[in-house]
Amino acid sequence: MLLRILPRAAALLMLCVQLLHSSVLPTVSSYEFTAYRMQQYAIQQEKHGCRGAIVQAEARSADEPVLTRRCVIMKLPDFTVERYFEALRQSAAAVLLLLPKNMSAVPQDIIQTFMVSESEALLKDTIMPVYVTPEDEQLLYMYEEVKHAAASRTSSILVRVFRSMVTATVFQILVSNTNPIKPITDSTIITLEGVLPGAGEDAPTIVITAHYDSYGLTPWLSYGADSNGSGVIILLELVRLFQKLYSNPHSQPAYHLLFSLTGGGKYNFLGTKRFLEENMDHAETSLLHDNVAFVLCLDTLANGDDMFLHVSRPPKPGTPQHAFVQHLEQVVSSRFPWVRFGMVHKKINLGESTVSWEHERYAMRRIPGFTLSHLEDPKSELRGSILDTVLHVDLRKMKRNAIVIAESLARFMYNLSDKGSPKDIQVFKGQMEFQDSRMSSLMSFLTSIPRATQLDKDPKHTILVNTLEHELRYYLHQVHRHTFRQDKRDPELTFFDQMEQPMMMYRIKPAAFDLFLGGCIAAYLAIVYYTIENCGYLYTKLKAAVKSKQK
């Protein structure tokens, strides 16, 4: 009888151990996915972003009290200023942020909190690697496990010890690329320029410009719908509509219209700076040399019921800038009275290494200009976020802002106020209207490609620039592409590689489980040994017990 009981007991014990082991571990013990590293760049020798890339650490929840040498796993609601800086303070090994696939389901307050935290994180220079990756089933399972482990810390000591020994799963996060991070020495910035020539030989020039690049926590996930896809789209629609006016000699204004799409806008408007240097310092002839009426910069115009005109100097009465501002105010008050229009005056501080708006680059060259935006604060977190996607822009408001700009330009160039035209006159109507379908298609295209400046060698980025150039050439005859390369000896802007990394997640049992399993095996062997050694005694006792029951 004993010989039949022992094998069954052994099988039962091994089955329990196997169930404990398999109940918490999924079928896949390792999982590889792509993670995108946080921005790393230096501008004017000032470092930004994270300088680390290698990760080899145990995954922990942000709720854990101890994060030292751990990889902190966060979802969007977890990534706050306080938790990020707590991970830095405790010298965490890394932070891995899981980005939801369905952004439309994320509440607005969480998006706002994340954008603020993202902006704060990008201002700092840290050695701690920060990675972002889209969430999936395997990564969400890991997140729930480490979250549950953190919650169990409040249980009794006995429960915590038993869980860590038997049911807990340890996740190891690994980036095994040991190559050192290197600066990118061959980065380029491309600026596109096109002109609609005005009537007359000495016609003044109006410059309309927008930067086309995007910015966010990681370059590969920065799509910049509002900032500044909206400015690019409005500029391209202005090109299309004003080309119709300029193509007819009877409606050709006495102003040159110079359109420019600049790169490097998120990095101190470096593309604009180089564009001005080429035109002002090196070109023998340029429309920017003299007789520039004003420069109109378009930046972040697809949200809100506010429109702010940012200036370095308030326009003086009698100047073209002052006349254009009056037309802006008139169009807003007559067509869209619920829109709040205001002027924001900010002097240029030559002691600062960076500028806030694109028009400041022109102002430093004594060219009058201003920037139109629905943002009042140039440091707003809305100007650079990976959550600035097509889901969070309002195409109707972008079209409304485009109408304000186009109608104001037309009234200024044709001097309609002095000609006694009604205040609510509409120049752009009928076949001259803004096309909703075209603006929507352009927004879909621009937000389908990450437009970060450091991705200039990516084939998708090349397609982006080529498409923008094709759009300009379709309506303009004089289109030029300016490619600016960094000075390798003394670069003004330096990017770094390894922005996209393969990352491994390993699911393993803790060392305590091996001790527990070893203890179970030892106990089983001890029972078997004792049974064999005392087989006769146990048999006698068992036989006596059976006989007593039979009586």
Side-chain angles (χ1 to χ4, degrees), residues 8-65:
R8 293 175 182 175
L12 181 61
L13 179 62
M14 297 307 295
L15 178 61
C16 291
V17 171
Q18 180 64 28
L19 286 174
L20 285 172
H21 190 274
S22 61
S23 62
V24 294
L25 278 179
T27 56
V28 181
S29 60
S30 64
Y31 178 61
E32 181 174 352
F33 56 97
T34 300
Y36 304 97
R37 192 164 68 91
M38 179 180 171
Q39 291 264 6
Q40 183 187 4
Y41 64 94
I43 185 166
Q44 301 284 2
Q45 306 303 319
E46 184 178 339
K47 297 178 180 179
H48 296 266
C50 70
R51 292 175 281 115
I54 299 175
V55 181
Q56 188 172 0
E58 178 185 338
R60 287 290 180 92
S61 169
D63 299 331
E64 294 275 8

Side-chain angles (χ1 to χ4, degrees), residues 217-236:
L217 191 65
T218 174
W220 282 100
L221 299 175
S222 301
Y223 297 97
D226 193 5
S227 180
N228 189 34
S230 61
V232 174
I233 293 169
I234 292 176
L235 183 144
L236 292 176

Side-chain angles (χ1 to χ4, degrees), residues 207-395:
V207 180
I208 302 176
T209 181
H211 68 275
Y212 61 82
D213 53 332
S214 57
Y215 183 76
L217 191 65
T218 174
W220 282 100
L221 299 175
S222 301
Y223 297 97
D226 193 5
S227 180
N228 189 34
S230 61
V232 174
I233 293 169
I234 292 176
L235 183 144
L236 292 176
E237 274 292 86
L238 292 175
V239 169
R240 181 181 68 84
L241 294 176
F242 275 92
Q243 187 272 338
K244 294 182 179 180
L245 295 175
Y246 274 73
S247 61
N248 187 341
H250 299 290
S251 60
Q252 184 182 18
Y255 287 90
H256 299 304
L257 269 186
L258 189 155
F259 297 93
S260 69
L261 290 172
T262 59
K266 300 300 184 181
Y267 301 95
N268 210 15
F269 297 98
L270 189 56
T272 306
K273 179 185 177 184
R274 296 291 181 84
F275 173 69
L276 286 169
E277 288 174 349
E278 184 174 284
N279 278 272
M280 305 290 288
D281 301 336
H282 305 298
E284 294 183 1
T285 59
S286 171
L287 292 177
L288 298 179
H289 275 173
D290 49 26
N291 205 14
V292 176
F294 56 81
V295 178
L296 176 60
C297 307
L298 311 177
D299 194 326
T300 318
L301 287 160
N303 263 314
D305 287 325
D306 298 315
M307 182 176 285
F308 296 101
L309 189 75
H310 297 269
V311 299
S312 300
R313 290 182 180 179
K316 296 180 179 180
T319 61
Q321 308 94 268
H322 187 267
F324 177 71
V325 173
Q326 288 183 316
H327 287 298
L328 276 172
E329 293 174 336
Q330 191 178 72
V331 172
V332 170
S333 61
S334 63
R335 296 280 303 274
F336 309 101
W338 63 88
V339 174
R340 182 168 69 109
F341 180 82
M343 184 182 298
V344 181
H345 175 212
K346 175 186 172 296
K347 291 183 177 180
I348 300 175
N349 185 352
L350 297 178
E352 294 181 356
S353 59
T354 58
V355 296
S356 299
W357 300 101
E358 189 172 8
H359 74 267
E360 295 179 15
R361 284 294 183 194
Y362 286 89
M364 294 169 72
R365 289 282 186 160
R366 300 185 181 278
I367 299 176
F370 20 67
T371 297
L372 270 176
S373 175
H374 73 77
L375 299 176
E376 184 175 9
D377 184 2
K379 296 181 180 179
S380 171
E381 62 277 1
L382 299 176
R383 295 187 74 193
S385 175
I386 57 176
L387 299 191
D388 181 12
T389 64
V390 69
L391 295 173
H392 301 108
V393 297
D394 192 327
L395 296 180

